[in-house]
Amino acid sequence: MQEFGDFANIDIDKLLKGADEQFARMEEVQKNMADLVGRAQDDDGLVTVEYAAEGIRELQLHPKAMRLSAGELAEKVKDVIAAATMDLQKQVNEVMAEVFGEEDNPMSYINDPEKAINQIKDAEAAYNRTFDDVMGELDSIRRRMDL
C-alpha cells in the first residue's frame, strides 16, 4: 500500500482546533472593532472629531471657530479628521496585536508592504517546492508502473 508521507501524520483534531481558534479570534476582533472610535481635537479646542468604521461620527465646531476664515477652518477640520483617523488606526493596530500577537498581526503588512511581499515570496517558494516534490513522486510512480 502506498504511503502518504507526512499527510498520513496530520492531527485532524489539532487542525480543527486551530481553525476554531482562528474563527474565535476573528469574532473577537469584530466585536472589538465595533466599539472603536478615533478622537481628535485641534490645539485651540475649536474643532473636535470622532471617527469610527462608518466614517465621521461626530464633528463639533466651537462658536469661536466661526471667526476663522473659510480656508483656515477647512484646514483645521481636515487636520483634525486626519488625526482622528490616525487615532482609530492606532486602536485597530492595538486590537489586532492583542488578538493575533505582534508577530502574526495582519495590520503589520499595511505598515510594512515589503514584509508582505517577502511573505508572499516565501509562500510561493514553499508552493513551488511542494509542487516539485509531488511531481517527482508522481514521476517515480509512473516509472515504477512502467507507464
Side-chain angles (χ1 to χ4, degrees):
M1 182 170 151
Q2 181 68 31
E3 289 294 322
F4 292 102
D6 287 340
F7 288 108
N9 298 322
I10 290 177
D11 183 346
I12 298 297
D13 291 331
K14 182 178 178 182
L15 180 68
L16 292 174
K17 182 180 178 198
D20 287 343
E21 288 172 0
Q22 282 292 95
F23 285 124
R25 285 181 185 171
M26 290 309 298
E27 284 179 15
E28 184 179 342
V29 165
Q30 286 178 328
K31 287 176 190 173
N32 291 338
M33 293 293 184
D35 297 332
L36 298 181
V37 179
R39 293 179 177 83
Q41 185 177 61
D42 71 303
D43 293 336
D44 302 322
L46 301 177
V47 178
T48 304
V49 171
E50 287 187 1
Y51 195 91
E54 67 272 10
I56 296 174
R57 185 181 277 184
E58 186 76 36
L59 171 61
Q60 294 178 354
L61 301 175
H62 190 280
K64 290 181 182 179
M66 298 303 125
R67 296 180 188 153
L68 299 172
S69 72
E72 290 173 321
L73 180 57
E75 280 303 310
K76 279 194 181 286
V77 169
K78 288 191 296 186
D79 291 344
V80 175
I81 288 171
T85 304
M86 287 175 45
D87 183 47
L88 177 62
Q89 182 66 43
K90 179 180 165 243
Q91 292 177 44
V92 168
N93 283 335
E94 289 170 357
V95 167
M96 296 295 265
E98 184 179 308
V99 172
F100 291 100
E102 280 298 326
E103 184 68 26
D104 296 325
N105 184 349
M107 299 304 289
S108 66
Y109 298 115
I110 291 173
N111 300 327
D112 187 0
E114 188 68 31
K115 180 179 176 183
I117 290 169
N118 289 337
Q119 183 114 10
I120 290 168
K121 286 179 181 178
D122 290 347
E124 179 184 27
Y127 169 81
N128 288 337
R129 283 190 306 273
T130 302
F131 180 79
D132 290 344
D133 289 348
V134 168
M135 293 309 291
E137 282 296 316
L138 289 174
D139 190 49
S140 175
I141 292 168
R142 180 190 57 79
R143 278 186 268 125
R144 279 195 305 256
M145 295 179 74
D146 207 18
L147 296 175

Coordinates of all heavy atoms in Angstrom, one line a residue, residues 55-125:
G55 N -17.1 56.1 9.3 CA -16.7 57.4 8.9 C -16.8 58.4 10.1 O -16.7 58.0 11.2
I56 N -17.0 59.7 9.7 CA -17.1 60.7 10.7 C -18.4 60.5 11.5 O -19.5 60.5 11.0 CB -17.1 62.1 10.1 CG1 -15.8 62.4 9.4 CG2 -17.4 63.2 11.2 CD1 -15.7 63.7 8.7
R57 N -18.3 60.3 12.8 CA -19.4 60.0 13.7 C -19.9 61.3 14.3 O -21.1 61.6 14.5 CB -19.0 59.0 14.8 CG -20.1 58.6 15.7 CD -19.7 57.6 16.7 NE -19.7 56.3 16.1 CZ -19.4 55.2 16.8 NH1 -19.0 55.3 18.1 NH2 -19.4 54.0 16.3
E58 N -18.9 62.2 14.6 CA -19.2 63.5 15.3 C -18.3 64.5 14.8 O -17.1 64.3 14.7 CB -19.1 63.3 16.8 CG -19.5 64.4 17.6 CD -21.0 64.6 17.7 OE1 -21.7 63.5 17.8 OE2 -21.5 65.7 17.8
L59 N -18.8 65.7 14.5 CA -18.0 66.9 14.2 C -18.5 68.0 14.9 O -19.7 68.4 14.7 CB -18.0 67.2 12.7 CG -17.4 68.5 12.2 CD1 -15.9 68.5 12.5 CD2 -17.6 68.7 10.7
Q60 N -17.7 68.6 15.8 CA -18.2 69.7 16.7 C -17.3 70.9 16.3 O -16.0 70.8 16.3 CB -18.1 69.4 18.1 CG -19.0 68.3 18.6 CD -18.8 67.9 20.1 OE1 -18.0 68.4 20.7 NE2 -19.7 67.1 20.6
L61 N -17.9 72.0 16.1 CA -17.2 73.3 15.9 C -17.6 74.2 17.0 O -18.8 74.5 17.3 CB -17.6 73.9 14.6 CG -17.4 73.0 13.3 CD1 -18.0 73.7 12.1 CD2 -15.9 72.8 13.1
H62 N -16.6 74.7 17.7 CA -16.8 75.7 18.8 C -17.3 77.0 18.1 O -16.8 77.3 17.0 CB -15.5 75.9 19.5 CG -15.6 76.7 20.8 ND1 -15.7 78.1 20.8 CD2 -15.7 76.3 22.1 CE1 -15.8 78.5 22.0 NE2 -15.8 77.4 22.8
P63 N -18.1 77.7 18.8 CA -18.6 79.0 18.2 C -17.5 79.9 17.7 O -17.6 80.6 16.7 CB -19.5 79.6 19.3 CG -19.9 78.5 20.1 CD -18.8 77.5 20.0
K64 N -16.4 79.9 18.4 CA -15.2 80.8 18.1 C -14.6 80.3 16.7 O -13.9 81.1 16.1 CB -14.1 80.7 19.1 CG -14.5 81.4 20.4 CD -13.4 81.3 21.4 CE -13.8 82.0 22.7 NZ -12.7 81.9 23.7
A65 N -14.9 79.1 16.3 CA -14.3 78.6 15.0 C -14.9 79.4 13.9 O -14.3 79.5 12.8 CB -14.6 77.1 14.8
M66 N -16.1 80.0 14.1 CA -16.7 80.8 13.0 C -16.0 82.1 12.7 O -16.3 82.7 11.7 CB -18.2 81.1 13.4 CG -19.1 79.8 13.5 SD -19.0 78.8 12.0 CE -18.5 77.3 12.7
R67 N -15.1 82.5 13.6 CA -14.3 83.7 13.4 C -13.2 83.4 12.4 O -12.5 84.4 12.0 CB -13.8 84.2 14.7 CG -14.9 84.6 15.7 CD -14.4 85.2 16.9 NE -15.5 85.4 17.9 CZ -15.3 85.3 19.2 NH1 -14.1 85.1 19.7 NH2 -16.4 85.5 20.0
L68 N -12.9 82.2 12.2 CA -11.8 81.8 11.3 C -12.2 82.1 9.8 O -13.4 82.0 9.5 CB -11.4 80.4 11.5 CG -10.8 80.0 12.8 CD1 -10.7 78.5 12.9 CD2 -9.5 80.7 13.1
S69 N -11.2 82.2 9.0 CA -11.6 82.3 7.5 C -12.0 80.9 7.1 O -11.7 79.9 7.7 CB -10.4 82.8 6.7 OG -9.4 81.8 6.7
A70 N -12.7 80.9 6.0 CA -13.2 79.6 5.5 C -12.0 78.6 5.2 O -12.1 77.4 5.5 CB -14.0 79.8 4.2
G71 N -10.9 79.2 4.7 CA -9.7 78.4 4.4 C -9.1 77.8 5.7 O -8.7 76.7 5.8
E72 N -9.0 78.7 6.7 CA -8.4 78.3 8.0 C -9.2 77.2 8.7 O -8.7 76.2 9.2 CB -8.3 79.5 8.9 CG -7.2 80.5 8.5 CD -7.3 81.7 9.4 OE1 -8.4 82.2 9.8 OE2 -6.2 82.2 9.8
L73 N -10.5 77.4 8.6 CA -11.4 76.4 9.2 C -11.4 75.1 8.5 O -11.3 74.0 9.1 CB -12.9 76.9 9.3 CG -13.9 76.0 9.9 CD1 -13.5 75.6 11.3 CD2 -15.3 76.6 9.8
A74 N -11.3 75.1 7.2 CA -11.2 73.9 6.4 C -10.0 73.2 6.7 O -10.0 71.9 6.8 CB -11.3 74.3 4.9
E75 N -8.9 73.9 6.8 CA -7.6 73.2 7.2 C -7.6 72.6 8.5 O -7.2 71.4 8.7 CB -6.4 74.2 7.1 CG -5.9 74.5 5.7 CD -5.5 73.2 5.0 OE1 -4.7 72.4 5.6 OE2 -5.9 73.0 3.8
K76 N -8.2 73.3 9.5 CA -8.3 72.7 10.9 C -9.2 71.4 10.8 O -8.9 70.4 11.4 CB -9.0 73.7 11.8 CG -8.0 74.7 12.4 CD -8.6 75.4 13.6 CE -7.6 76.5 14.1 NZ -6.5 75.9 14.9
V77 N -10.3 71.5 10.1 CA -11.2 70.3 10.0 C -10.5 69.2 9.4 O -10.5 68.0 9.9 CB -12.5 70.7 9.3 CG1 -13.3 69.4 8.9 CG2 -13.4 71.7 10.1
K78 N -9.8 69.4 8.3 CA -9.1 68.3 7.6 C -8.0 67.7 8.5 O -7.8 66.5 8.6 CB -8.4 68.8 6.3 CG -9.4 69.1 5.2 CD -8.8 69.3 3.9 CE -8.0 70.5 3.8 NZ -7.4 70.9 2.5
D79 N -7.2 68.6 9.2 CA -6.2 68.1 10.1 C -6.7 67.3 11.3 O -6.2 66.3 11.6 CB -5.4 69.3 10.7 CG -4.5 70.0 9.6 OD1 -4.3 69.4 8.5 OD2 -4.1 71.1 9.9
V80 N -7.9 67.7 11.8 CA -8.4 67.0 13.0 C -9.0 65.7 12.5 O -8.9 64.7 13.2 CB -9.5 67.9 13.7 CG1 -10.2 67.1 14.8 CG2 -8.8 69.1 14.3
I81 N -9.6 65.7 11.3 CA -10.2 64.4 10.8 C -9.0 63.4 10.6 O -9.1 62.3 10.9 CB -10.9 64.6 9.5 CG1 -12.3 65.3 9.8 CG2 -11.2 63.3 8.7 CD1 -13.0 65.8 8.5
A82 N -7.9 63.9 10.0 CA -6.7 63.1 9.8 C -6.2 62.5 11.2 O -5.9 61.3 11.3 CB -5.6 63.8 9.1
A83 N -6.2 63.4 12.2 CA -5.7 62.9 13.5 C -6.7 61.9 14.1 O -6.2 60.9 14.7 CB -5.5 64.1 14.4
A84 N -8.0 62.1 13.9 CA -8.9 61.2 14.5 C -8.8 59.8 13.7 O -8.9 58.8 14.4 CB -10.3 61.7 14.4
T85 N -8.6 59.9 12.5 CA -8.4 58.7 11.7 C -7.2 57.9 12.1 O -7.2 56.7 12.3 CB -8.3 59.0 10.2 OG1 -9.4 59.8 9.8 CG2 -8.2 57.8 9.3
M86 N -6.1 58.6 12.4 CA -4.9 58.0 12.9 C -5.1 57.4 14.2 O -4.5 56.3 14.5 CB -3.7 59.0 12.9 CG -3.2 59.4 11.5 SD -1.9 60.7 11.5 CE -0.8 60.2 12.8
D87 N -5.9 58.1 15.1 CA -6.2 57.5 16.4 C -6.9 56.2 16.3 O -6.7 55.2 17.0 CB -7.0 58.5 17.2 CG -7.3 58.1 18.6 OD1 -6.3 57.6 19.3 OD2 -8.4 58.2 19.1
L88 N -7.9 56.2 15.3 CA -8.7 54.9 15.1 C -7.7 53.9 14.6 O -7.8 52.7 15.1 CB -9.8 55.2 14.1 CG -10.6 53.9 13.8 CD1 -11.3 53.3 15.0 CD2 -11.6 54.3 12.7
Q89 N -6.9 54.2 13.7 CA -5.9 53.2 13.1 C -5.0 52.6 14.2 O -4.8 51.4 14.2 CB -5.1 53.8 12.0 CG -4.1 52.9 11.3 CD -4.8 51.8 10.6 OE1 -5.8 52.1 9.9 NE2 -4.4 50.6 10.7
K90 N -4.6 53.5 15.1 CA -3.7 53.1 16.2 C -4.5 52.1 17.1 O -4.0 51.0 17.5 CB -3.3 54.3 17.0 CG -2.5 53.9 18.3 CD -2.1 55.2 19.0 CE -1.6 54.9 20.4 NZ -2.4 55.4 21.4
Q91 N -5.8 52.4 17.4 CA -6.6 51.4 18.2 C -6.8 50.1 17.5 O -6.8 49.0 18.1 CB -7.9 52.1 18.5 CG -7.9 53.3 19.4 CD -9.2 53.9 19.6 OE1 -10.2 53.2 19.8 NE2 -9.3 55.3 19.5
V92 N -7.0 50.2 16.1 CA -7.2 48.9 15.4 C -5.9 48.1 15.5 O -6.0 46.9 15.7 CB -7.6 49.2 13.9 CG1 -7.4 48.0 13.0 CG2 -8.9 49.8 13.8
N93 N -4.8 48.7 15.3 CA -3.5 48.0 15.4 C -3.3 47.4 16.8 O -2.9 46.2 16.9 CB -2.3 49.0 15.1 CG -2.1 49.3 13.7 OD1 -2.5 48.5 12.8 ND2 -1.5 50.4 13.4
E94 N -3.7 48.1 17.8 CA -3.6 47.5 19.2 C -4.5 46.3 19.4 O -4.1 45.3 20.0 CB -3.9 48.6 20.2 CG -2.9 49.7 20.3 CD -3.3 50.9 21.1 OE1 -4.5 50.9 21.6 OE2 -2.5 51.8 21.3
V95 N -5.8 46.4 18.9 CA -6.7 45.3 19.0 C -6.2 44.1 18.2 O -6.1 42.9 18.7 CB -8.1 45.7 18.5 CG1 -9.0 44.4 18.3 CG2 -8.8 46.6 19.5
M96 N -5.7 44.3 17.0 CA -5.2 43.2 16.2 C -4.0 42.6 16.8 O -3.8 41.3 16.8 CB -4.9 43.7 14.8 CG -6.1 44.2 14.0 SD -7.3 42.9 13.7 CE -6.7 42.4 12.1
A97 N -3.1 43.4 17.4 CA -1.9 42.9 18.0 C -2.3 42.1 19.3 O -1.7 41.0 19.6 CB -0.9 44.0 18.4
E98 N -3.3 42.6 20.0 CA -3.7 41.9 21.2 C -4.3 40.5 20.9 O -4.1 39.5 21.5 CB -4.8 42.7 21.9 CG -5.3 42.2 23.2 CD -6.3 43.1 23.9 OE1 -5.9 44.3 24.0 OE2 -7.4 42.7 24.2
V99 N -5.1 40.5 19.8 CA -5.8 39.2 19.4 C -4.8 38.2 18.7 O -4.8 37.1 19.0 CB -7.0 39.5 18.5 CG1 -7.6 38.3 18.0 CG2 -8.1 40.3 19.3
F100 N -4.0 38.8 17.8 CA -3.2 37.9 17.0 C -1.8 37.8 17.4 O -1.0 37.0 17.0 CB -3.2 38.3 15.5 CG -4.5 38.1 14.8 CD1 -5.4 39.2 14.7 CD2 -4.9 36.9 14.4 CE1 -6.6 39.0 14.0 CE2 -6.1 36.7 13.7 CZ -7.0 37.7 13.6
G101 N -1.4 38.7 18.3 CA 0.0 38.8 18.7 C 0.8 39.7 17.8 O 0.4 39.9 16.6
E102 N 1.9 40.3 18.2 CA 2.7 41.2 17.4 C 3.2 40.5 16.1 O 3.2 41.1 15.1 CB 3.8 41.8 18.2 CG 3.5 42.9 19.1 CD 2.9 44.1 18.4 OE1 3.3 44.4 17.3 OE2 2.0 44.7 19.0
E103 N 3.7 39.3 16.3 CA 4.3 38.6 15.2 C 3.3 38.3 14.0 O 3.6 38.4 12.9 CB 4.9 37.3 15.7 CG 5.7 36.5 14.6 CD 6.9 37.2 14.1 OE1 7.5 38.0 14.9 OE2 7.4 37.0 13.0
D104 N 2.1 37.9 14.4 CA 1.1 37.5 13.4 C 0.0 38.6 13.1 O -1.0 38.3 12.5 CB 0.3 36.2 13.9 CG 1.3 35.0 14.0 OD1 2.2 34.9 13.2 OD2 1.1 34.2 14.9
N105 N 0.3 39.8 13.6 CA -0.7 40.9 13.4 C -0.8 41.2 11.9 O 0.1 41.6 11.3 CB -0.2 42.1 14.1 CG -1.1 43.3 14.1 OD1 -2.1 43.3 13.3 ND2 -0.9 44.3 14.8
P106 N -2.0 41.0 11.3 CA -2.2 41.2 9.9 C -2.0 42.7 9.5 O -1.7 43.0 8.4 CB -3.7 40.8 9.6 CG -4.2 40.2 10.9 CD -3.2 40.4 12.0
M107 N -2.2 43.6 10.5 CA -2.0 45.0 10.2 C -0.6 45.4 10.0 O -0.3 46.5 9.4 CB -2.6 45.9 11.4 CG -4.1 45.6 11.6 SD -5.1 45.9 10.2 CE -5.0 47.7 10.1
S108 N 0.3 44.6 10.4 CA 1.7 44.9 10.2 C 2.1 44.9 8.7 O 3.0 45.6 8.3 CB 2.6 43.9 10.9 OG 2.5 42.6 10.3
Y109 N 1.3 44.2 7.9 CA 1.5 44.3 6.4 C 1.2 45.6 5.8 O 1.7 46.0 4.8 CB 0.8 43.1 5.7 CG 1.2 41.8 6.2 CD1 0.4 40.9 6.9 CD2 2.5 41.3 6.0 CE1 0.8 39.7 7.4 CE2 3.0 40.1 6.5 CZ 2.1 39.3 7.1 OH 2.5 38.1 7.6
I110 N 0.2 46.3 6.4 CA -0.2 47.6 5.9 C 0.9 48.6 6.1 O 1.2 49.4 5.2 CB -1.5 48.1 6.6 CG1 -2.7 47.2 6.1 CG2 -1.8 49.5 6.3 CD1 -3.9 47.5 6.8
N111 N 1.5 48.5 7.3 CA 2.6 49.4 7.6 C 4.0 49.1 7.0 O 4.9 49.9 6.9 CB 2.7 49.5 9.1 CG 1.5 50.0 9.8 OD1 0.7 50.8 9.2 ND2 1.2 49.5 11.0
D112 N 4.1 47.8 6.6 CA 5.3 47.3 6.0 C 5.1 46.5 4.8 O 5.1 45.2 4.9 CB 6.1 46.5 7.1 CG 7.5 46.1 6.6 OD1 7.9 46.5 5.5 OD2 8.2 45.5 7.4
P113 N 4.8 47.1 3.6 CA 4.5 46.3 2.4 C 5.6 45.4 2.0 O 5.3 44.3 1.4 CB 4.3 47.4 1.3 CG 4.2 48.7 2.0 CD 4.8 48.5 3.4
E114 N 6.8 45.7 2.3 CA 8.0 44.9 2.0 C 7.8 43.5 2.7 O 8.2 42.5 2.1 CB 9.3 45.6 2.3 CG 10.5 44.8 1.8 CD 10.6 44.8 0.3 OE1 10.2 45.8 -0.3 OE2 11.2 43.8 -0.2
K115 N 7.4 43.6 3.9 CA 7.2 42.4 4.7 C 6.1 41.5 4.1 O 6.3 40.3 4.0 CB 6.8 42.7 6.2 CG 6.5 41.5 7.1 CD 6.1 42.0 8.4 CE 5.8 40.8 9.3 NZ 5.3 41.2 10.7
A116 N 5.1 42.1 3.6 CA 4.0 41.4 2.9 C 4.5 40.7 1.6 O 4.3 39.5 1.3 CB 2.8 42.3 2.6
I117 N 5.3 41.4 0.8 CA 5.9 40.9 -0.4 C 6.8 39.7 -0.1 O 6.8 38.7 -0.8 CB 6.6 42.0 -1.2 CG1 5.6 43.0 -1.7 CG2 7.5 41.4 -2.3 CD1 6.2 44.3 -2.3
N118 N 7.6 39.9 1.0 CA 8.5 38.8 1.4 C 7.8 37.5 1.8 O 8.1 36.4 1.4 CB 9.5 39.2 2.5 CG 10.5 40.2 2.0 OD1 10.8 40.2 0.8 ND2 11.1 41.0 2.8
Q119 N 6.7 37.7 2.5 CA 5.8 36.6 2.9 C 5.2 35.9 1.7 O 5.2 34.7 1.7 CB 4.7 37.1 3.9 CG 3.9 36.0 4.4 CD 4.1 35.8 5.9 OE1 4.7 36.6 6.6 NE2 3.5 34.7 6.4
I120 N 4.8 36.7 0.8 CA 4.2 36.1 -0.5 C 5.3 35.3 -1.2 O 5.0 34.2 -1.7 CB 3.6 37.2 -1.3 CG1 2.3 37.8 -0.7 CG2 3.3 36.7 -2.7 CD1 1.8 39.1 -1.3
K121 N 6.5 35.9 -1.3 CA 7.6 35.2 -2.0 C 7.9 33.9 -1.3 O 8.2 32.9 -1.9 CB 8.8 36.1 -2.1 CG 8.7 37.2 -3.1 CD 9.9 38.1 -3.2 CE 9.7 39.2 -4.2 NZ 10.9 40.1 -4.2
D122 N 7.9 33.9 0.1 CA 8.2 32.7 0.8 C 7.1 31.6 0.6 O 7.4 30.5 0.4 CB 8.3 33.0 2.3 CG 9.5 33.8 2.7 OD1 10.4 33.9 1.9 OD2 9.6 34.3 3.9
A123 N 5.9 32.1 0.6 CA 4.8 31.2 0.3 C 4.9 30.6 -1.1 O 4.6 29.4 -1.3 CB 3.4 31.9 0.5
E124 N 5.2 31.4 -2.1 CA 5.4 31.0 -3.5 C 6.5 29.9 -3.5 O 6.4 28.9 -4.2 CB 5.7 32.1 -4.4 CG 5.9 31.7 -5.8 CD 6.3 32.9 -6.7 OE1 6.9 33.8 -6.2 OE2 6.1 32.8 -7.9
A125 N 7.6 30.2 -2.8 CA 8.8 29.2 -2.9 C 8.3 27.9 -2.2 O 8.7 26.8 -2.7 CB 10.0 29.8 -2.1

